[in-house]
Amino acid sequence: MLILLALLLRLLAVLAEDHAYGYVNDGSDGPWYLAHGYALVTGFDNGRLSEFGDEYDEGGVIIVLRRLTTPPLYLLFNGLPQAFFPREAAVLLIRVFQALAGAISVWLVWRLGRAVTGSEGAAFVAALAIAVSPAFIFEATRVTTESLYIFLLLAALAHHSHRRKHVAMTGILLGLATLTRAVLLLFPLALALHLLLVDGRRQGLRQALLLLAAYSLVVGSWTVYSLARWDRFVIAGEGMAAFLYIGALEQGWRGPQETDRQLVEDIGAISEEPQARQANYLQGAQGRISADPVGYLLRRLDELTRATLQPHGTGYFDGPPLRLMAIEWWREGRSPFEVLQWTTSEGFWPRLLIYVLHFVGLLAGLVGLWFSRQRWRQSLPLVAFIAYTLLLHLALHAIPRYLFPILPLCWVFAGVALLQAYEKLKALRR
């Protein structure tokens, strides 16, 4: 029933959207993903090949397939519908598939919660939070990687928690998730270590090697394809160095042109070739970090804290941001009547629900993690992913969207805390 509710809410959000989504570069990621997905699947755009074969400009999105730094799976996911249907119908189909992935993700959270916490009630609370969260509902309408990535990540973790004897499938799912977002590249090592801890040296080593072998085959398929087609060696993606450099900048992310201009100032010149460009980013990051290591660390802590405390998805709704409204209210007299006026502002209630579910998930998740300490063998993979994501973005550029995938896992533990709080309230009433 909960999965049907989740699917209905997501489909309603999808059907309310305008699907006339072009390739025009409007500053969002959607046109970029659509244009590159179509180009990767078809190899051309409306029959027009440029003199470079793999490079052309469509509606302001410049496409150079041989220089792709993004993993291919989401491009294939959105490119295939575009190859067979008109663009508007293709965008609708992409969003419907993402709504289905979101609904299945709710079931995966429930399944993962039941395996990790051992409690049906806690698992239901976690799944309910993800099912009704506007951030997850409206994520299905965005042409970005989050819906597919979160689905594959949860599927891998849920399979790992239930079937450690079939670790090859866990490796395959992790490989597909990495080909969606390359940031996951090193995480399978954590699951391999978990197998060694839980299953013993001999059995665990065999299982860990099988998981890593299946994972390497999936991720390596893109490496082989890139070598065969473009004579270019790439493992999943090549954006890490750029994010490291952006994280070292005092002003943070100001767009690709401003970032490249800053890099030219730092190192003198930058290459047009992808691998050489990544080396340029590493050189620029090394120079900035070594020049002011303490300032760099403070900036990274500040950015990561801000990204953690700011919920993802509030920008999907029109109206003034709640954070700015609260700051202005605090500065200008703190009138209770002004608080009542907030409730009539556009987008207030869904954004408020996003904030509530975000902070309850984080805070109750910490409490639930403590309550679950005796089941550390089951909870360790989830804790490892949360820690991996936070530590990685302590070094790399961090925004709320990049930390969004940890929220379903936080809610697995939050379900434990909320259920125990409910049981204690019930006992007090008796």
Side-chain angles (χ1 to χ4, degrees), residues 308-309 355-371 406-407 409-411 413-418:
T308 304
L309 296 180
Y355 268 92
V356 169
L357 292 175
H358 179 80
F359 283 105
V360 170
L362 293 182
L363 298 176
L366 285 173
V367 178
L369 180 60
W370 173 254
F371 288 159
I406 72 173
L407 192 57
L409 308 186
C410 292
W411 263 102
F413 298 110
V416 176
L418 294 176

Side-chain angles (χ1 to χ4, degrees), residues 164-165 195-196 199-208:
R164 285 202 302 274
K165 292 182 179 179
L195 290 169
L196 287 172
D199 292 342
R201 184 179 300 175
R202 180 177 297 180
Q203 175 72 6
L205 180 60
R206 185 164 58 246
Q207 297 289 78

Side-chain angles (χ1 to χ4, degrees), residues 160 164-168 170-171 174 188-216:
H160 179 77
R164 285 202 302 274
K165 292 182 179 179
H166 301 87
V167 293
T170 302
L174 285 173
L189 294 174
L191 290 191
L193 289 173
H194 179 247
L195 290 169
L196 287 172
L197 283 172
V198 173
D199 292 342
R201 184 179 300 175
R202 180 177 297 180
Q203 175 72 6
L205 180 60
R206 185 164 58 246
Q207 297 289 78
L209 291 175
L210 182 57
L211 183 149
L212 293 176
Y215 176 77
S216 300

Side-chain angles (χ1 to χ4, degrees), residues 66-84:
R66 65 181 179 275
R67 296 177 185 167
L68 270 181
T69 59
T70 302
L73 191 60
Y74 190 74
L75 302 181
L76 297 175
F77 174 80
N78 77 66
L80 285 170
Q82 293 183 79
F84 293 101

Side-chain angles (χ1 to χ4, degrees), residues 28-72:
S28 66
D29 290 338
W32 191 95
Y33 281 118
L34 287 172
H36 283 78
Y38 184 79
L40 185 62
V41 169
T42 64
F44 62 94
D45 180 73
N46 296 329
R48 298 193 305 275
L49 282 172
S50 77
E51 58 181 316
F52 300 106
D54 286 328
E55 180 174 354
Y56 50 87
D57 184 339
E58 168 60 45
V61 178
I62 298 175
I63 299 170
V64 188
L65 290 179
R66 65 181 179 275
R67 296 177 185 167
L68 270 181
T69 59
T70 302

Side-chain angles (χ1 to χ4, degrees), residues 199-335:
D199 292 342
R201 184 179 300 175
R202 180 177 297 180
Q203 175 72 6
L205 180 60
R206 185 164 58 246
Q207 297 289 78
L209 291 175
L210 182 57
L211 183 149
L212 293 176
Y215 176 77
S216 300
L217 284 173
V218 174
V219 175
S221 63
W222 178 238
T223 304
V224 172
Y225 179 84
S226 298
L227 281 170
R229 181 168 179 182
W230 299 302
D231 191 26
R232 175 185 166 209
F233 182 79
V234 59
I235 301 176
E238 290 184 336
M240 297 291 189
F243 282 116
L244 181 65
Y245 177 69
I246 294 167
L249 294 174
E250 289 86 351
Q251 71 273 22
W253 172 249
R254 297 285 180 86
Q257 290 79 16
E258 178 61 25
T259 300
D260 287 348
R261 186 195 65 77
Q262 190 65 60
L263 184 59
V264 170
E265 285 187 11
D266 288 347
I267 66 172
I270 55 177
S271 173
E272 291 297 323
E273 289 304 315
Q275 289 180 324
R277 175 72 69 90
Q278 298 306 307
N280 294 154
Y281 283 126
L282 285 175
Q283 181 185 349
Q286 183 180 7
R288 284 187 166 268
I289 295 170
S290 60
D292 183 16
V294 175
Y296 166 75
L297 181 59
L298 292 175
R299 287 195 302 274
R300 296 310 313 137
L301 288 170
D302 178 67
E303 185 180 82
L304 182 62
T305 301
R306 289 173 182 270
T308 304
L309 296 180
Q310 173 58 50
H312 170 68
T314 57
Y316 295 162
F317 304 95
D318 295 329
L322 295 188
R323 181 173 57 86
L324 295 181
M325 291 167 63
I327 292 172
E328 185 178 349
W329 172 78
W330 183 263
R331 289 174 178 171
E332 295 186 3
R334 288 162 260 177
S335 167

